[in-house]
Amino acid sequence: MMADNRLKLLVTASTFPRGEHDTEPRFVLDLCKCLNKNYKVSVLVPAYPGCKDLEHIEGIEVIRYHYLPFNKLETLCYPGAIVPRIKEKKIRSLQVPFLFLGLAWKLFKIQTNYDVIHSHWLIPQGIVQSFFQHPFILTCHGGDIKALNFSVIKKLKYYALKHASQITFVSKDLMQFTEEHICKDKSIEYKSSVIPMGVDTTRFSPSFRINDYFTNDSKKTVLFVGRFAEKKGISYLIESMKNVPAHLVLVGTGPLDMQLKREASSAGISCQFMGAKSHEELSKIYASADVLCVPSITASNGDTEGMPTVIAEGMASGLPVVATRHGGIPAIVQDGVNGFLVPEKSSEQLADKLNKLLSDKTLYTLFREKAIQTAEEFSYDELAKKYREVIDKALSESR
């Protein structure tokens, strides 16, 4: 048996699938699978009630760290993201310091077994990692940069960014915000790059389409996929559908679930709430819809999107996109090429562009073809090449 000479890469994250068929976002897993061809990848993520401490998911070793004495109480991170779960139950905020400490203790015990560490999200992974003398890459996704920028937290963010070996941002907008509001001294320019999250083009394709999947009346379908949270701007999409003769399908769940159902009922539109779905189910849902709508907005607490992975998934499935000009979205949605961009919070312009796409077959076909081509540029195989360059830089600088 040949020895495995690959360098060891530890990936830390707070959002990660709990199993192969979980509905949690899997972009970190998909990237790890591609990087595993060149590095021996392990993933370190928080525990959840009933979890295994060590398991393999799709060939990737997954280590779960504990942060409370009783596993049944470790409910901060799943299902969904940390901030929405705290909003759902304020008492969960008491778990946050223990999450930091749990991660720090686990890293203290195991990080020397790895050549390099890749920390996804500044909070808590990047901040905790920055206090260890070990080469690490920090990937910033959006809300971890733009939200919670007050006194101590902002200083901790600066400290983490300054001590990272290399930094990647999922959008140019995010990198510019960081340089203008957190690292004003230009101390991170030389080690920063923009690499978005992407799509597994083998999992998403127009070939998965099922005709009349949502309705039996041949009505066109507008699709939204994502968490039901303020920054997703779903209320503006529901309002816009009053003037769009199409069926709206909303896939996901979250703190605004009941509010959005009331809004859809009050609007009197044709609307279907499908709940959270696994990626196997999503492949059929995307391909069976007609247009993907991503109406993201800046939330009241400053939270924003980086570059939503649903856009690349939708495009790979053959969907033109109508989205807001927000965060990193313009990096993938080219206005008038593979979709349309409109201002945030404009239900009127969302309706106008949706109607334009759904009523013009020639334009729709052109956008659809361009969308599929764009998705190829965002495949994880292509993005992994860029991440390998960044990882190799971090390793070479540490020697």
Side-chain angles (χ1 to χ4, degrees), residues 312-328:
E313 293 170 352
M315 287 184 171
S317 304
L319 297 185
V321 179
V322 175
T324 49
R325 193 172 280 103
H326 169 94

Side-chain angles (χ1 to χ4, degrees), residues 222 233-246 248 267 269 293 295 322 346-355:
V222 175
I234 308 168
S235 294
Y236 299 95
L237 172 57
I238 290 173
E239 179 69 20
S240 76
M241 292 301 293
K242 292 180 181 179
N243 300 304
V244 181
L248 175 62
I269 61 175
C293 191
V322 175
S346 177
S347 298
E348 295 81 6
Q349 292 198 44
L350 282 174
D352 178 64
K353 297 305 183 185
L354 286 168
N355 282 322

Side-chain angles (χ1 to χ4, degrees), residues 140-147 149 161 167-183 186 188 192-196 231 296-299 302-308 324-332 341 344 378:
C140 303
H141 289 270
D144 54 335
I145 287 289
K146 291 194 174 182
N149 284 316
L161 289 160
I167 306 167
T168 70
F169 297 89
V170 298
S171 70
K172 187 176 180 180
D173 165 80
L174 200 59
M175 183 169 71
Q176 290 175 338
F177 180 93
T178 305
E179 292 173 344
E180 291 171 4
H181 298 278
I182 301 176
C183 296
K186 310 297 182 184
I188 64 168
S192 298
S193 55
V194 176
I195 309 177
K231 70 177 179 180
S296 304
I297 64 171
T298 301
D303 195 10
T304 65
E305 302 273 26
M307 197 204 77
T324 49
R325 193 172 280 103
H326 169 94
I329 292 175
I332 185 169
L341 292 171
E344 292 184 25
F378 287 82

Side-chain angles (χ1 to χ4, degrees), residues 290-291 314-323 332-341 353-354 356-358 360-375:
D290 296 291
V291 177
M315 287 184 171
S317 304
L319 297 185
V321 179
V322 175
I332 185 169
V333 179
Q334 297 171 271
D335 191 33
V337 177
N338 55 17
F340 286 120
L341 292 171
K353 297 305 183 185
L354 286 168
K356 191 169 185 178
L357 257 181
L358 293 172
D360 189 330
K361 189 173 182 179
T362 301
L363 181 68
Y364 179 89
T365 301
L366 179 62
F367 278 22
R368 173 184 166 88
E369 291 172 353
K370 290 292 186 182
I372 294 171
Q373 291 173 18
T374 301

Side-chain angles (χ1 to χ4, degrees), residues 23-286:
T23 58
E24 291 296 310
R26 55 173 290 138
F27 51 86
V28 175
L29 173 60
D30 287 333
L31 178 59
C32 287
K33 287 170 64 178
C34 287
L35 291 173
N36 201 45
K37 298 169 186 175
N38 295 87
Y39 309 94
K40 189 174 182 180
V41 178
S42 297
V43 178
L44 178 63
V45 286
Y48 61 89
C51 70
K52 295 178 181 178
D53 290 352
L54 179 67
E55 63 179 324
H56 285 78
I57 299 178
E58 298 181 27
I60 300 297
E61 181 182 68
V62 180
I63 306 163
R64 308 266 179 190
Y65 68 89
H66 293 276
Y67 53 96
L68 290 176
F70 302 104
N71 177 235
K72 67 180 181 180
L73 299 177
E74 294 174 319
T75 60
L76 181 59
C77 303
Y78 301 96
I82 294 173
V83 173
R85 288 189 63 72
I86 290 174
K87 285 183 178 179
E88 184 182 53
K89 286 187 177 181
K90 295 289 192 295
I91 196 169
R92 288 190 179 125
S93 62
L94 298 175
Q95 297 187 31
V96 173
F98 297 100
L99 183 73
F100 275 74
L101 291 170
L103 175 57
W105 177 241
K106 191 66 174 182
L107 283 170
F108 174 75
K109 291 196 292 184
I110 72 170
Q111 68 170 349
T112 54
N113 298 329
Y114 300 90
D115 297 288
V116 63
I117 293 172
H118 185 180
S119 303
H120 283 271
W121 288 282
L122 196 46
I123 304 173
Q125 288 75 224
I127 289 175
V128 172
Q129 189 61 54
S130 66
F131 287 93
F132 293 97
Q133 297 297 316
H134 202 90
F136 78 101
I137 298 96
L138 173 59
T139 291
C140 303
H141 289 270
D144 54 335
I145 287 289
K146 291 194 174 182
L148 304 175
N149 284 316
F150 51 83
S151 59
V152 176
I153 296 295
K154 190 173 183 179
K155 288 178 181 177
L156 287 171
K157 287 184 182 185
Y158 173 80
Y159 183 88
L161 289 160
K162 194 164 184 177
H163 284 80
S165 308
Q166 291 286 317
I167 306 167
T168 70
F169 297 89
V170 298
S171 70
K172 187 176 180 180
D173 165 80
L174 200 59
M175 183 169 71
Q176 290 175 338
F177 180 93
T178 305
E179 292 173 344
E180 291 171 4
H181 298 278
I182 301 176
C183 296
K184 299 178 184 179
D185 58 3
K186 310 297 182 184
S187 59
I188 64 168
E189 279 187 348
Y190 73 97
K191 59 181 179 180
S192 298
S193 55
V194 176
I195 309 177
M197 291 294 102
V199 59
D200 182 346
T201 51
T202 65
R203 285 178 173 268
F204 297 97
S205 163
S207 63
F208 292 112
R209 184 177 178 85
I210 299 173
N211 291 327
D212 299 325
Y213 186 80
F214 305 105
T215 65
N216 295 318
D217 57 8
S218 300
K219 185 176 283 188
K220 298 291 186 181
T221 299
V222 175
L223 176 67
F224 168 88
V225 178
R227 277 191 58 75
F228 292 175
E230 182 189 357
K231 70 177 179 180
K232 300 296 183 179
I234 308 168
S235 294
Y236 299 95
L237 172 57
I238 290 173
E239 179 69 20
S240 76
M241 292 301 293
K242 292 180 181 179
N243 300 304
V244 181
H247 181 62
L248 175 62
V249 172
L250 300 171
V251 178
T253 187
L256 299 184
D257 201 321
M258 295 308 298
Q259 175 187 320
L260 294 172
K261 287 176 179 175
R262 288 194 297 268
E263 290 177 5
S265 177
S266 176
I269 61 175
S270 175
C271 183
Q272 180 179 358
F273 287 80
M274 296 190 73
K277 296 295 179 182
S278 69
H279 270 59
E280 288 75 12
E281 295 170 298
L282 280 174
S283 63
K284 299 184 185 73
I285 292 170
Y286 278 120

